[in-house]
Amino acid sequence: HGHDHGHDHGHDHGHDHGHGHGHGHDHDGPPSRNLAAIKKLIKSAPGLAGCRKPAIRAFTLLAEAEADTHGTTVDKVHFHEVGAIDSIVDTVGVCLALHLLNVDAVYCSPLPYGSGTVRTAHGLVPVPAPATLKLLTGIPTRPGPPVEGELCTPTGVALVKALVPEGAWGRPPLGFTPTSVGLGAGTKDFPGHPNVVR
């Protein structure tokens, strides 16, 4: 929408995540993109042969959730914040990094539900936001730490849902042997717990 949702996602990338959706009203700001335009960008970009499928799947899941949330069709969903080039690079970059690291399987523990409310262009909505909750359908969740706020964004959930196969939620398989650990820290400080993805 080219607007600020007025809430923090627990980290700062300089853009909003996943609350861009399609409506028939005008907005200032950068042009929005629909799923077809994002697919075209991903398909035409060089060097992405091994990561196009999960990246396109993530945007497709996000478009489906936004369409369902707003009672429209996928082709009528226009991503605004999520359609920005930096957001596309974030999603494709994760898929590319996994490909370059030769990751052949992704497992994920249950996702934290979050609590409280977030302010959007449509007013105050409960956490998880409607599109996020739609994306969480079929995914194991758990209570988050005892803080209020959005702990999973629609874009993040769509990406994880695109990468984690059926049956790979929860604990890693028997015999799983870690060989290294990666950490990513957000910039938002929560009292009493780190804002870290491991």
Side-chain angles (χ1 to χ4, degrees), residues 107-110 140 168-172:
Y107 296 88
C108 186
S109 59
W169 292 94
R171 298 174 188 234

Side-chain angles (χ1 to χ4, degrees), residues 15-180:
H15 59 273
D16 292 322
H17 291 271
H19 295 289
H21 33 57
H23 295 290
H25 47 265
D26 296 327
H27 299 283
D28 295 328
S32 63
R33 291 180 176 87
N34 65 8
L35 181 60
I38 292 173
K39 282 182 175 180
K40 184 176 178 182
L41 280 172
I42 294 170
K43 287 178 179 178
S44 65
L48 300 180
C51 66
R52 285 188 177 101
K53 187 176 177 181
I56 288 171
R57 177 76 179 132
F59 282 107
T60 301
L61 288 166
L62 188 55
E64 290 169 352
E66 292 288 2
D68 184 77
T69 298
H70 296 286
T72 188
T73 58
V74 168
D75 59 312
K76 291 184 180 176
V77 171
H78 287 267
F79 298 112
H80 302 280
E81 294 85 5
V82 166
I85 289 294
D86 56 341
S87 292
I88 295 168
V89 168
D90 285 350
T91 300
V92 173
V94 168
C95 298
L96 181 60
L98 292 171
H99 172 71
L100 294 175
L101 291 168
N102 296 312
V103 173
D104 56 8
V106 177
Y107 296 88
C108 186
S109 59
L111 297 177
Y113 216 66
S115 64
T117 57
V118 291
R119 186 165 303 285
T120 72
H122 305 290
L124 209 56
V125 298
V127 170
T132 308
L133 186 56
K134 180 66 179 175
L135 285 160
L136 286 169
T137 302
I139 293 178
T141 60
R142 60 179 298 280
V147 296
E148 287 203 5
E150 187 173 41
L151 300 176
C152 292
T153 64
T155 305
V157 177
L159 185 56
V160 172
K161 197 168 189 175
L163 293 169
V164 178
E166 189 77 27
W169 292 94
R171 298 174 188 234
L174 184 64
F176 174 76
T177 305
T179 57
S180 61

